[in-house]
């Protein structure tokens, strides 16, 4: 997998947050091309250990090659980070990293079907073993369901009109390619004067839906906290506001000294309890000017760090 090139974002900030040390145990739930993983192993030399996973088979292969120089100090598995606590011992880790979203190869390889800028099969699966593809969703879901996905996961104002147009067009010819879907979005909302391509939001929404990303994230955050030792740190890099909101809400709930059974935050119903974590930084950490200039894909990245109590 020598063509697997992904420039990791905010490496210095992640090292600052997780403070890898010799003898430490770390988990990387989104190992990708192993840029962060290699940095963590180098910083915890010679006796740090890293357990990594990625649901993308190409990434796992690339990570194993990239980490060859650290042989004997890591284990990489193919799988969802939601399941981290199934194979990593509870309370065993000094640091956990989740660097969310897609890798550059996933976006750049047309056959993966993530990009409206290149023509490829309408796929978008991070894990190619999964049955559901974007084409199945687009050709099989009702107009209401598609509109809901575009609205809730893409914040797309034209969600209903786009969904109805998809249902109309697919009766003549099912959607098979990214170009077909991008052209429909262009036809409905002409590009003139727009800063972003008219298909941006529906592609984001479909990707999140196909990979069930937000529910994996909720489960992954729980799993990460479970496998951390007291004093261990969880670093999460998000790339858009929906992901960031899930991380913020998770952190808010775990850092509070009360909970409220039943779901409604009625002050009288609050039950005191011991917080499970503290925020390490009050605000999200963002890439510096040098990184932004060198790596445009870092521009929407935000890092939040929690420490387990
Ligand atoms: C931004 S890249 C990570 C890059 C990596 N930090 C590096 O240094 O190269 C995100 C990776 O997370 C993976 N991924 C996304 N959601 C996942 C999940 N729920 N479980 C496992 N891997 C996931 C993707 O397949 C992708 O390889």
């Amino acid at each position: 997998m020598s063509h697997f090139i992904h420039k990791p974002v905010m490496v210095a900030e992640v090292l600052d947050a997780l403070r890898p040390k010799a003898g430490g145990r770390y988990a990387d739930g989104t190992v990708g091309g192993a840029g962060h993983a290699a940095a963590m192993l180098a910083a915890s030399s010679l006796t740090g250990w890293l357990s990594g996973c990625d649901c993308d088979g190409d990434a796992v292969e690339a990570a194993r090659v990239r980490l060859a120089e650290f042989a004997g100090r890591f284990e990489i598995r193919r799988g969802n980070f939601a399941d981290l606590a199934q194979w990593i011992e509870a309370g065993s880790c000094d640091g956990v990293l989740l660097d969310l979203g897609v890798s550059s190869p996933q976006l750049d390889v047309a056959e993966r079907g993530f990009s409206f800028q290149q023509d490829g099969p309408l796929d978008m699966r991070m894990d190619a073993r999964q049955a559901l593809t974007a084409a199945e969703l687009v050709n099989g879901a009702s107009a209401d369901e598609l509109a809901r996905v575009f609205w809730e996961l893409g914040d797309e104002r034209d969600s209903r009109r786009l969904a109805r147009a998809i249902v109309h067009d697919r009766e003549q010819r099912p959607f098979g390619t990214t170009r077909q879907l991008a052209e429909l979005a262009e036809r409905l909302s002409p590009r003139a004067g727009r800063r972003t391509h008219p298909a941006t939001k529906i592609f984001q929404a479909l990707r999140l839906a196909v990979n069930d990303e937000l529910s994996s994230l909720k489960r992954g955050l729980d799993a990460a906290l479970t496998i951390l030792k007291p004093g261990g740190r969880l670093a999460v890099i998000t790339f858009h506001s929906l992901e960031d909101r899930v991380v913020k809400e998770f952190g808010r709930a775990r850092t509070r000294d009360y909970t409220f059974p039943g779901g409604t935050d009625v002050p009288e119903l609050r039950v005191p309890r011991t917080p499970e974590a503290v925020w390490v930084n009050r605000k999200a950490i963002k890439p510096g000017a040098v990184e932004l200039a060198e790596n445009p894909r870092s521009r929407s990245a935000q890092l939040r760090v929690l420490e387990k109590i």
Side-chain angles (χ1 to χ4, degrees):
M1 275 290 135
S2 53
H3 62 272
F4 195 108
I5 297 170
H6 174 89
K7 208 172 167 42
V9 305
M10 289 196 278
V11 176
E13 291 84 348
V14 166
L15 293 180
D16 227 30
L18 298 183
R19 304 169 299 185
K21 57 176 193 289
R25 296 184 80 84
Y26 304 93
D28 183 346
T30 50
V31 79
H36 289 109
M40 287 194 267
L41 281 163
S44 62
S45 197
L46 285 167
T47 49
W49 172 268
L50 182 116
S51 303
C53 78
D54 201 295
C55 53
D56 184 325
D58 290 350
V60 167
E61 212 180 300
R64 289 193 181 127
V65 173
R66 170 72 182 82
L67 296 179
E69 65 184 288
F70 303 104
R73 293 180 49 208
F74 68 87
E75 177 187 4
I76 306 289
R77 294 195 183 188
R78 184 171 180 188
N80 195 313
F81 56 59
D83 301 326
L84 277 177
Q86 289 176 15
W87 61 283
I88 300 175
E89 197 185 326
S92 67
C93 291
D94 296 280
V96 179
L97 172 67
L98 298 177
D99 173 21
L100 303 174
V102 282
S103 65
S104 299
Q106 285 168 336
L107 278 178
D108 297 341
V109 175
E111 288 70 39
R112 300 299 303 264
F114 282 98
S115 170
F116 51 78
Q117 279 158 346
Q118 307 181 64
D119 197 15
L122 194 55
D123 190 318
M124 301 195 194
R125 286 171 302 172
M126 288 184 183
D127 186 340
R129 300 170 302 185
Q130 172 186 310
L132 181 70
T133 63
E136 275 184 47
L137 195 57
V138 166
N139 293 316
S142 67
D144 281 350
E145 179 63 7
L146 285 173
R148 190 189 62 77
V149 167
F150 296 158
W151 173 248
E152 287 180 6
L153 300 178
D155 207 12
E156 170 58 63
R157 277 188 305 159
D158 259 349
S159 56
R160 289 190 175 282
R161 204 158 70 94
L162 282 158
R164 276 199 304 269
I166 287 174
V167 170
H168 173 270
D169 282 22
R170 77 189 184 194
E171 273 159 25
Q172 322 299 317
R173 183 162 71 108
F175 285 84
T177 66
T178 51
R179 175 67 40 84
Q180 235 181 308
L181 188 60
E183 280 173 2
L184 175 136
E186 284 168 13
R187 199 178 77 223
L188 262 69
S189 338
R191 294 189 68 167
R194 294 175 67 120
R195 272 194 319 142
T196 52
H197 189 283
T200 307
K201 291 180 170 181
I202 61 172
F203 269 65
Q204 174 195 298
L206 287 171
R207 193 200 94 197
L208 287 167
V210 166
N211 298 291
D212 201 14
E213 287 179 47
L214 298 181
S215 75
S216 285
L217 176 56
K218 288 178 191 156
R219 291 167 53 216
L221 292 168
D222 276 333
L225 210 58
T226 301
I227 62 174
L228 277 175
K229 287 177 186 164
R233 287 183 171 185
L234 165 62
V236 189
I237 302 175
T238 62
F239 289 86
H240 57 74
S241 56
L242 287 176
E243 287 171 341
D244 191 50
R245 192 185 308 156
V246 172
V247 177
K248 267 194 302 198
E249 278 170 11
F250 173 82
R252 211 176 287 146
R254 300 312 179 101
T255 53
R256 272 196 300 237
D257 58 2
Y258 64 86
T259 182
F260 41 92
T264 47
D265 192 1
V266 179
E268 300 79 66
L269 295 180
R270 287 178 181 177
V271 177
R273 60 134 202 197
T274 315
E276 291 165 76
V278 287
W279 288 112
V280 173
N281 306 89
R282 267 175 36 79
K283 287 189 164 181
I285 302 164
K286 302 199 175 148
V290 174
E291 177 163 17
L292 286 170
E294 278 175 0
N295 183 8
R297 281 186 183 165
S298 71
R299 68 181 177 272
S300 44
Q302 303 204 71
L303 168 66
R304 293 189 190 269
V305 188
L306 280 167
E307 187 171 302
K308 183 166 170 174
I309 293 176

